Amino acid sequence: MTQKEMLALVRKLISDEQATGFTEGGTLEEPEGTQELLNYLDRAVDDYSKRQAANADTRLVRSMTISSSNMYLPDGFLMFCGLIPAQVEGNFLFYYGDMVNPTVKYFERLPYVSSYPETAPLPYEQDQYMTIAALAAIYALNKYEFNVSQDLMLLGYGGQQNANGS
Amino acid sequence: MIDVLQLVQSLRYALRDMQGVKISDFELIECINQAASLLYVTMAEKYVRYALKTYTMDVGDANKGVLPDDFLKVHQVLTDEDTVAVPTSYLPTTDGTYRIKGNMFYANNDVYSIEYYYVPKRVKSLSDKLDVQTAMSPYIEQVALAFYGNNLDKAKKVVDICVTSLSDIEVSHFENVGPTQVLGGRV
């Protein structure tokens, strides 16, 4: 699925196929219309990735080799799998373990929808497309103050979990 | 010697994380190190001979030598004529006496065979080997599991059980020494 198809899917979910609610265009400076939907998609990617990482989804696991005691973390780094003898400050890593050049596993955020060209296929799996589009649609509907609690519930995002703000 | 990889694999199985998504290798290696230390220190306290090693020390003309890194405490010292050397509280001047101070061994110009209780050296990576006998692997695993979660009390209890079990193996060959014993005396 491409970015364009993803946007079409979200429009379908919010009954805006004609692009009358969220019109074509929009820029990062003026995030309205399509750009606004893209922002919702990115936000959905972010939220989905964090939740899946917290649930130890192996599809988000990547590995890296710590080759130096000071190094930058990879883009999209969320958290390590388990505890690592290292300090993380922002996107910088200070390693102090006694294992030399260890390979460690970490959870990585899925790439943002907006970071791909309009017609390039996005590197997601089917269920990820669906969940991300559904989340983005919920954000869009929420803007117009529709009641989205049932939609969140269906994605497993509702109830107590939501009440805790987690 | 036990492969650290093998221990980590067993621990991951017990902790239901064979893929290593929830627990890192660092955590398990740390648990193995702590388990080995506590188990061997306790074994030395209880004089369990599985924790014994022998080191041949040639004190030479300096009349002293450095003890091995994994030295914990001395069990006995033999001279090169296989007689038991005697510890002294002063610097030894006659053959067959010795003194241990810190990590230094003082004796009179001879080759000595030092039997000592050791603590396995720290392992650092999956490719290392833990300096314990293969038969120790279930004990190390059980104690390491107790250490996972930083539960020192539980670890100590498991170590006590392990040490008791190891002592039983050791004295089992004394079982058939004669008629039944009642209250310490023979019937």
Side-chain angles (χ1 to χ4, degrees):
Chain A
M1 202 179 277
T2 62
Q3 188 200 93
K4 216 172 173 177
E5 287 162 344
M6 199 77 168
L7 281 168
L9 181 60
V10 176
R11 286 197 193 283
K12 176 96 184 151
L13 289 170
I14 59 175
S15 305
D16 187 30
E17 291 100 324
Q18 301 293 321
T20 48
F22 292 91
T23 51
E24 298 289 344
T27 59
L28 280 174
E29 288 78 30
E30 291 174 47
E32 50 191 21
T34 307
Q35 182 61 47
E36 194 174 350
L37 287 182
L38 268 180
N39 291 352
Y40 289 144
L41 278 167
D42 286 353
R43 195 175 136 195
V45 165
D46 210 38
D47 196 64
Y48 173 80
S49 302
K50 279 177 186 157
R51 274 169 199 262
Q52 290 309 102
N55 293 331
D57 185 344
T58 48
R59 291 181 299 175
L60 300 188
V61 173
R62 304 284 181 273
S63 49
M64 65 187 245
T65 299
I66 300 180
S67 50
S68 143
S69 55
N70 308 311
M71 61 182 284
Y72 282 104
L73 287 167
D75 274 352
F77 172 90
L78 289 177
M79 61 182 186
F80 286 114
C81 300
L83 305 175
I84 303 289
Q87 291 175 30
V88 173
E89 285 175 20
N91 63 344
F92 210 70
L93 175 86
F94 298 92
Y95 174 71
Y96 61 84
D98 53 9
M99 202 191 291
V100 181
N101 295 345
T103 300
V104 298
K105 289 182 188 158
Y106 66 98
F107 291 101
E108 193 176 80
R109 174 179 46 67
L110 290 172
Y112 287 130
V113 176
S114 64
S115 64
Y116 275 75
E118 260 190 1
T119 50
L122 294 162
Y124 304 151
E125 285 171 48
Q126 184 65 9
D127 65 313
Q128 294 173 332
Y129 284 124
M130 294 305 142
T131 309
I132 290 166
L135 258 183
I138 287 168
Y139 296 147
L141 289 175
N142 185 58
K143 185 195 174 191
Y144 291 120
E145 298 181 9
F146 284 98
N147 184 354
V148 292
S149 54
Q150 194 63 31
D151 306 67
L152 282 169
M153 206 77 92
L154 285 169
L155 284 182
Y157 280 48
Q160 195 58 42
Q161 239 180 329
N162 226 29
N164 291 338
S166 63
Chain B
M1 290 284 188
I2 308 177
D3 287 336
V4 174
L5 184 67
Q6 192 186 324
L7 284 172
V8 166
Q9 186 181 323
S10 303
L11 292 176
R12 286 205 180 286
Y13 174 73
L15 294 165
R16 318 310 285 169
D17 184 33
M18 293 292 266
Q19 292 199 36
V21 181
K22 292 172 189 161
I23 308 164
S24 71
D25 293 338
F26 295 95
E27 290 175 76
L28 294 176
I29 289 175
E30 190 59 43
C31 289
I32 291 169
N33 281 326
Q34 292 188 9
S37 302
L38 185 64
L39 185 60
Y40 273 71
V41 167
T42 316
M43 277 159 79
E45 278 171 11
K46 303 279 163 67
Y47 304 102
V48 177
R49 286 160 196 240
Y50 286 91
L52 275 181
K53 258 190 179 183
T54 307
Y55 182 76
T56 308
M57 167 92 74
D58 185 354
V59 290
D61 291 337
N63 287 345
K64 63 181 177 182
V66 181
L67 289 165
D69 284 346
D70 56 0
F71 179 90
L72 179 64
K73 72 175 185 184
V74 69
H75 176 61
Q76 68 173 1
V77 178
L78 298 173
T79 62
D80 57 350
E81 285 122 24
D82 272 350
T83 55
V84 178
V86 188
T88 60
S89 55
Y90 47 87
L91 282 182
T93 48
T94 53
D95 287 358
T97 55
Y98 72 93
R99 176 163 165 73
I100 286 171
K101 205 163 101 182
N103 65 340
M104 295 302 288
F105 178 84
Y106 301 90
N108 213 25
N109 191 18
D110 203 349
V111 177
Y112 291 85
S113 172
I114 305 170
E115 284 178 15
Y116 66 98
Y117 293 97
Y118 79 105
V119 175
K121 276 185 199 154
R122 216 181 135 77
V123 288
K124 293 177 182 176
S125 72
L126 295 178
S127 54
D128 284 359
K129 285 175 189 299
L130 186 64
D131 184 16
V132 301
Q133 292 157 61
T134 316
M136 289 297 132
S137 135
Y139 300 97
I140 299 274
E141 278 164 29
Q142 289 308 313
V143 184
L145 279 177
F147 264 117
Y148 183 76
N150 227 359
N151 192 340
L152 186 62
D153 284 347
K154 192 178 163 199
K156 278 181 176 163
K157 276 178 198 155
V158 177
V159 163
D160 282 345
I161 294 167
C162 290
V163 169
T164 309
S165 147
L166 286 165
S167 317
D168 283 352
I169 296 168
E170 197 169 280
V171 297
S172 61
H173 60 277
F174 291 125
E175 269 172 17
N176 298 319
V177 287
T180 323
Q181 292 180 334
V182 176
L183 297 173
R186 282 171 198 265
V187 186

